[in-house]
Amino acid sequence: MARPDKAAAVAELTESFRSSNAAVLTEYRGLTVAQLKTLRRSLGENAQYAVVKNTLTKIAANEAGINTLDDLFNGPTAVAFITGDPVESAKGLRDFAKDNPNLVIKGGVLDGKALSADEIKKLADLESREVLLSKLAGAFKGKQTQAAQLFQALPSKLVRTVDALRAKQAEQGGAE
């Protein structure tokens, strides 16, 4: 029978997996407590970084319906549970790993889909959600402006054409 403290730990981890948009598994071997504290700050407000026991975390992930991470639970493991923008946290992990090569990104999961370490690094290269949305809004605004100018140009071109025809007819009528 499972000990109550382990059952509680599994339940807490299961809830963390279920309530997160993404989870990134890392190996932290060789990092000091101070470095881990710095890493937690670099992940942003919407991420929780927890050092975990592999067996309990594997059970919790499976209970949460995530069974694609089973191969990653070896060695000292820590999980970044991301509830906000995954790009921001992925950037924090990538930047911290550049400065501290002891942090190894193993892989993760985003909205139920498995991600490799390389895919997480590609995710970190994306711009944040807010920047992408503002660019999209700017593109829509630009297209609307172009459409408005086009619709405004058509009637004025028609008026100029009709005036030119009238002037030509007036010349031809006066020349006869």
Side-chain angles (χ1 to χ4, degrees), residues 5-156:
D5 58 334
K6 288 186 179 183
V10 169
E12 184 180 335
L13 288 168
T14 302
E15 180 56 33
S16 293
F17 275 113
R18 286 184 179 147
S19 64
S20 299
N21 298 338
V24 179
L25 276 68
T26 64
E27 183 174 321
Y28 63 93
R29 187 187 330 252
L31 294 176
T32 65
V33 173
Q35 288 172 321
L36 287 174
K37 187 175 182 181
T38 303
L39 172 59
R40 284 184 175 99
R41 277 193 300 245
S42 71
L43 291 177
E45 297 175 5
N46 298 322
Q48 175 191 358
Y49 190 74
V51 174
V52 296
K53 291 189 179 276
N54 288 333
T55 307
L56 299 179
T57 309
K58 187 175 181 179
I59 293 168
N62 289 329
E63 284 184 11
I66 302 168
N67 51 13
T68 56
L69 302 175
D70 290 353
D71 297 337
L72 302 177
F73 292 113
N74 50 30
T77 303
V79 182
F81 294 105
I82 304 164
T83 55
D85 184 10
V87 173
E88 177 186 347
S89 297
K91 284 181 186 203
L93 283 167
R94 179 200 58 198
D95 295 344
F96 186 86
K98 281 181 186 176
D99 297 336
N100 301 282
N102 288 335
L103 180 73
V104 178
I105 298 172
K106 295 180 178 183
V109 63
L110 174 64
D111 293 329
K113 294 185 173 76
L115 295 176
S116 68
D118 290 335
E119 290 172 324
I120 292 171
K121 290 174 184 168
K122 287 179 185 175
L123 181 66
D125 292 337
L126 290 176
E127 292 176 333
S128 72
R129 182 176 188 272
E130 290 77 21
V131 171
L132 292 174
L133 287 174
S134 65
K135 284 185 175 183
L136 183 63
F140 280 139
K141 183 178 178 186
K143 293 297 179 191
Q144 288 175 341
T145 303
Q146 287 175 345
Q149 290 171 349
L150 175 67
F151 293 139
Q152 194 174 25
L154 290 174
S156 65

Side-chain angles (χ1 to χ4, degrees), residues 7 65 158:
L158 177 66

